Amino acid sequence: MSGEELALWLQELGQPRFRAGQLFGWLHKRPAERFDQMSNLPRSLTELLEEQAVLSELSIRRKLVSALDGTVKYLFALPDGELVETVVMDYRHGSSICLSTQVGCRMGCAFCASTKAGFVRNLAPSEILGQLYQAERDLGRPVGSVVLMGIGEPLDNFDNVIRFLSLLSDENGRNLSLRHVSLSTCGLVDRIRKLAELRLQLTLSVSLHAPNDAIRAQTMPVARRYGIDALLDACRDYAGDTGRRISFEYALIRGVNDSRACAEELAARLKARGGGGWCHVNLIPVNEIRETDYRRAERQRIASFQGWLGERGINATVRRTLGADISAACGQLRREEQAAQPGKYGKKEDLP
C-alpha cells in the first residue's frame, strides 16, 4: 500500500491518519519483521494489525558468497514456497542489488537460465521490495542502486513493477532516487512506450544482442513479435521523452553475433536515429549455461567489437563479470533446486 492507501485503510479501522506515516516508516525506512517490533505504535494497534494484515516474508533458502570479489547471491523462498534469486554486487562507486520481478520467465531467450526453469507467476510489489529489504537486513548495510535484471521480464509484470518503483522512491519511505535504478527489458515495444509516458528518471536497459532481426530471432523469440527497427524507434523516442540515455545490452556469443559485420550494422542502425549520443552499448561476455552450446566470445574479440563500435561513434563498454565462482547470473540456482525436486516448481507458458 502507498502511504495514502494506508491512511484510508487505518481510518476504516478507526485509527487516526498520522499512524499511517509511522506504519509506513516501519515498512520501508527500517523494515520490521513483525508488527510487535513497531515500538511507537500502541499495543492495541499492533494487535489489530496482527489480526487484519500480514507482513510478506522472504526466507533465505541458500546464500553464496564469491571468494573472488565478494558478490553475494541469494536464493529466496517466497511465502508460497516458490523461489527467486537476488544478487548483491560491490563496485568502486558502491553496491548494487539485482532483483527478480517474476517467478521464472516466459520470454524464452535461448542463452538465459531464468527461462529454462519455466514461468509460474508475477511477483507482488512487496515481494520485489522484500528481496531488497531482506538482503540489506542480512548484510547489515544498505545498497546504493537497484537493477531489475534478475529472474523475469519486468515489463511483463508492468503494474506491479511500477508500484514497486513508486514505493521504493517514496520520500517518506526508502526514498531511493529512480536515477539509481536500472530496468532491463528484452524489448516489449508497447510497454516501452507505456513506460515512456510516465517520464520516470530510471535507466532503461534493453537486451538487444544482435544487429538485425535474422540473428536476433535465433536466440530471442520476442524478435518475432517486435522487429528491431520498431524496437529501436521506441527506444529513441523513450530517450527523447525522458532525457535519459538508453543502455543496450549486447551479450557476445562466439560465432553468432560477434563479427565485424555485426558491429558495423549495429552502429549504422543506432547512428541512423540521431547519432550515437542517445545510447550506450554494454558488451557482455555471455553466461554459459548447461542447456545450450552457446559460448562466450574470446576476450580479444570482445575488445575488437568494442573498438569497431567506437570507430563509428558508438560509445561501448565491457561489463565486468562478477560472481563467476557462484553462478551469479540469475536463474541457475533456481534451476538446480528444480532439478533436485522435479515437478515441484514452475510451469512453461508461451510468450504472451
Side-chain angles (χ1 to χ4, degrees):
M1 292 183 176
S2 67
E4 180 60 24
E5 288 167 341
L6 276 176
L8 293 173
W9 178 67
L10 286 173
Q11 282 184 306
E12 291 176 2
L13 296 178
Q15 301 294 318
R17 283 183 62 92
F18 77 88
R19 294 293 185 198
Q22 295 173 321
L23 179 55
F24 196 78
W26 282 113
L27 293 174
H28 302 289
K29 284 185 178 179
R30 47 193 186 285
E33 296 179 273
R34 305 189 315 273
F35 290 116
D36 62 11
Q37 294 175 336
M38 301 178 179
S39 56
N40 61 346
L41 299 183
R43 185 173 178 179
S44 60
L45 177 54
T46 59
E47 290 177 349
L48 184 62
L49 292 172
E50 289 282 0
E51 295 174 1
Q52 298 289 333
V54 63
L55 290 173
S56 183
E57 184 177 346
L58 279 63
S59 59
I60 300 173
R61 179 67 63 86
R62 292 179 66 186
K63 176 184 176 182
L64 303 178
V65 181
S66 171
L68 300 176
D69 50 48
T71 296
V72 181
K73 184 170 188 177
Y74 295 99
L75 182 67
F76 284 125
L78 303 172
D80 63 356
E82 290 293 344
L83 306 171
V84 293
E85 296 175 37
T86 304
V87 181
V88 179
M89 301 152 288
D90 288 326
Y91 298 95
R92 287 189 297 273
H93 62 270
S95 58
S96 179
I97 188 167
C98 182
L99 303 178
S100 295
T101 55
Q102 295 177 309
V103 181
C105 183
R106 52 183 168 183
M107 296 298 109
C109 299
F111 47 80
C112 179
S114 296
T115 199
K116 304 298 180 187
F119 173 83
V120 179
R121 65 174 177 84
N122 290 325
L123 293 188
S126 60
E127 293 172 323
I128 305 174
L129 276 167
Q131 298 168 65
L132 169 64
Y133 295 163
Q134 188 72 308
E136 289 182 329
R137 186 182 294 120
D138 180 69
L139 295 171
R141 57 181 170 86
V143 298
S145 62
V146 168
V147 182
L148 298 179
M149 200 181 290
I151 295 175
E153 161 57 57
L155 296 186
D156 189 36
N157 186 17
F158 190 90
D159 291 341
N160 285 344
V161 166
I162 296 303
R163 170 61 67 109
F164 156 77
L165 293 171
S166 176
L167 291 168
L168 179 70
S169 59
D170 193 301
E171 63 180 8
N172 296 311
R174 186 62 170 75
N175 195 26
L176 183 68
S177 168
L178 293 187
R179 288 182 175 272
H180 299 296
V181 175
S182 179
L183 184 152
S184 178
T185 176
C186 69
L188 303 184
V189 170
D190 57 335
R191 303 294 175 85
I192 291 173
R193 293 196 175 281
K194 186 177 179 181
L195 182 66
E197 294 174 359
L198 300 177
R199 302 294 197 272
L200 302 179
Q201 288 300 294
L202 53 77
T203 296
L204 183 65
S205 297
V206 178
S207 297
L208 198 59
H209 308 316
N212 57 53
D213 289 324
I215 296 176
R216 198 164 188 259
Q218 293 178 32
T219 58
M220 302 183 71
V222 71
R224 296 193 288 270
R225 173 159 295 189
Y226 301 109
I228 194 167
D229 286 321
L231 173 59
L232 294 180
D233 287 345
C235 291
R236 184 64 186 89
D237 290 344
Y238 180 95
D241 290 342
T242 64
R244 301 286 290 170
R245 188 174 65 163
I246 298 285
S247 177
F248 287 110
E249 310 291 322
Y250 196 104
L252 285 156
I253 306 171
R254 188 185 309 171
V256 176
N257 64 354
D258 63 343
S259 68
R260 183 178 190 124
C262 283
E264 292 175 350
E265 185 176 3
L266 175 61
R269 272 203 154 88
L270 297 179
K271 291 199 72 174
R273 288 165 171 82
W278 66 278
C279 64
H280 165 267
V281 177
N282 194 11
L283 300 175
I284 307 167
V286 73
N287 290 300
E288 297 179 2
I289 61 175
R290 290 188 295 271
E291 291 86 356
T292 75
D293 294 327
Y294 293 126
R295 295 293 174 260
R296 66 180 54 184
E298 295 89 346
R299 184 176 300 178
Q300 183 54 50
R301 175 53 65 97
I302 295 173
S304 296
F305 201 95
Q306 180 184 18
W308 296 329
L309 290 175
E311 290 169 4
R312 285 154 183 79
I314 301 299
N315 182 34
T317 55
V318 179
R319 179 186 293 174
R320 178 183 167 204
T321 300
L322 297 176
D325 58 328
I326 58 170
S327 299
C330 278
Q332 299 184 71
L333 280 189
R334 179 170 177 260
R335 189 74 174 123
E336 290 174 9
E337 191 78 11
Q338 283 188 311
Q341 302 186 63
K344 183 176 180 181
Y345 304 102
K347 61 180 179 180
K348 273 287 186 182
E349 288 193 10
D350 295 329
L351 180 69

